[in-house]
Amino acid sequence: MIRSRRLVRAAVGGVVALSCTVLTAPAQAAPEADEPAGTVRLVTEKRVTVDYPWAGASGFQYRPGTTAVTTVDYPDAAPPAHAGPDDLASGTDVLNTRDSQTVTQRHRSTGVTATVTIPSGQAYRAAAGWSVLTMDGTGALHVLRAGADGTTEDTPVTGLPAGARPVHYRTGGSVGRLAIVYVLEDKTSVGLVDLADGAFRTYVTGDEAAPQLAFNDRWLVADWKAIRVDAGPGTEPTALTRTDAQLEAVVGDRLLIGNPGFVLGGTEAALTARDLVTGATGTVLTSSFGGIGPTLDGGALATAGPSSLDWNIHRITPTGSGGLTTTEVARVPAAATGVQGLAVAGGELFLYGATPGASLRYSSFQLDATGRPDGPQTRRSPALSPSTCLPGDAACPQLEALGDGRVSHLWTADTGEESVLNVGLDTTTVLNEPTNGDSRGRIGGSTGRYVLYNGGSGKQRVVDFPRGATAGETALTRDRTAAAVWGQTLWAPGSTQGSVTGRNLKTGSTTTIATGAPCTPTDIQAVNTWLYWSCGSSAGVFDRAAGRRITVPADIGPARLADGFLLRENRTTHELLLTDFHTGTATTRTLVKLPATDQNTGGSNGRWAVDRFGGHIAYLNGTYGEVSIVPSGVPTSPLAQMEAQVYTPSVIGKAFPWAPVWQLNKPSTWTLTLTDASGRPVRTLTGASTGAAVRPAWDGTTDSGGATGGPYTWKLTAHPRDGQGPDLTLSGTMNPG
């Protein structure tokens, strides 16, 4: 189990309302004995801010955070043909690269290049399209362009007021103009230089030292004042209503405003647009912030999406009717985050790791019958804050996937008291059961609704999280011994040497098995009809179905029982060893050699985990954030019911459906048929199990949508998702009211 210090939100009483990359090729960080069926990478849900080193007519470059630059071509783009530096409009597809006093210009669509040589005594300031802006030693500005004969043409900038001191140079949605912010007599002004002839014109004067600005070939907006570029001399700009958001770009006649400084709790930032002609406003993209900016062809790019699992770059362009259209043009890959705990159950891989801020979350990946990832990273819990853990406390966190779509783990308060928590069926709920002051405990062999807690006080608890519960409840408290829970049975040492007694947690009835162990077992585990015992120096498995005893290795550390096999880790050689005993004879092989350097301490559920409800094994492969999955190759047991919560409701309706739970031993697809008192079928429901649990919901209506009355006979037919073994059929009756 895990020894790292982690876990849950401060409030843990009752119900607490609080990605993904699938890799097709396995990581090569560690030698492998079995080829993985697939590899997944746990990613943070925090959305990264991107910047755009270049954005033109045929595509763009973007850089998320501090990572490398990625180039994206627009699908079906029709960029301008190469026409040379004398045609400024064709510069919307030109990429400028500077090396000291040389600027290389490449028309991306055709590959044609030109070179601008910056004269001695001049310094580079900015570039847009075919034009390069420089400043000489006297403070005068120049527009440079490549000449047809390979020389560099130099056009002095005129119109800048005498004594003006340029402080900022900005490109925008134009290759014909470039913005200059200058200071004169303690006033800051903004103007545009016409790159065709070098003529400069001041448009806005204000008091801000670094005014926000955005422009295209039609409009300049600076310091929240807007003016047409072609406005007559002396025209005063129009003041706009200020907000705490940023001026991002002008597209057509629309000013894009985004990245607000404050967003109300429970809401998301949005990119909005203001019509500079009519003043009308509207939302362009919801959940949009960070990487927003103009493109050289008069459009814009913006990031938007609900989380990093669906974080995309959108291209914004004007429509012929004066509006805007948005097109998703790239998906921003999410950053990897460390795996701080893992578990597999019922064909689902649960990974515990960091999410936005300091919080943590359970995420999951569905696995197909072969162990291959089948779908994206999915949230499986609320955001969880780290636990307060005492020195030497082994439960930070202890965790166990229960095979019904849920995970239980321990949370430690700052007093040291532990609580058993349960999450997984939705992304907002945490169920909790305190341990009455116990600490330094461990989660034992838990399944479905029942969680075994082994307290440091010497007490052992079975915590019950039944269907529809708003909190956990302690179903049984006893002195701590070796024990395991499978389905609704608690297995513990019997009264005689080597015996193990199973206690039905619902009825209290008991069954005793003579395992042949030469001692009172110090470890007991149960999966299906397999019962594992260990005395430290010797170990065995009792096959309850066949009534036979099987000797298994006990030479290295703790073991983890699964369906027909045992998994152990040799912490010296870093080998993960699989012992197959399903035929009655134990055979051991090396499944995988784990990385020599731990990413996570502990064994089971720390560096590796095994699906007791299907047989897949997951392990940290040595690459940050990555987990590989390998099938055991051992046949699974036939489909069977472990436990069921089938009840008779007082009433059935849309607001309170009948929602029984059948806990099976492996994933299935299922059909539930309800018939009335005369044997007439009234409703048929189908679905796939949640983990290995069948969780239907019936609102009391017939297949045609009408109403019906009880009593009812139900029939559940479950088909094993792995195709191994026959279907399982269960039936019963219920009579509402």
Side-chain angles (χ1 to χ4, degrees), residues 63-118:
R63 177 173 43 226
T66 59
T67 59
V69 171
T70 298
T71 299
V72 176
D73 291 319
Y74 296 131
D76 303 321
H82 171 69
D86 57 339
D87 183 358
L88 296 189
S90 67
T92 58
D93 199 35
V94 169
L95 177 63
N96 284 271
T97 305
R98 182 168 67 94
D99 181 9
S100 186
Q101 292 295 99
T102 300
V103 178
T104 300
Q105 302 174 319
R106 181 171 64 89
H107 193 274
R108 288 192 70 244
S109 300
T110 63
V112 176
T113 61
T115 300
V116 173
T117 301
I118 300 175

Side-chain angles (χ1 to χ4, degrees), residues 505-530:
L505 293 168
K506 292 182 176 180
T507 66
S509 62
T510 60
T511 299
T512 299
I513 302 294
T515 67
C519 64
T520 298
T522 56
D523 184 18
I524 293 174
Q525 298 179 47
V527 172
N528 291 322
T529 60
W530 312 106

Side-chain angles (χ1 to χ4, degrees), residues 279-319:
T281 61
T283 298
V284 180
L285 291 169
T286 58
S287 301
S288 177
F289 62 87
I292 305 171
T295 60
L296 292 173
D297 62 351
L301 296 170
T303 44
S307 77
S308 73
L309 305 182
D310 192 16
W311 189 231
N312 306 288
I313 298 174
H314 298 255
R315 186 186 187 190
I316 305 168
T317 53
T319 64

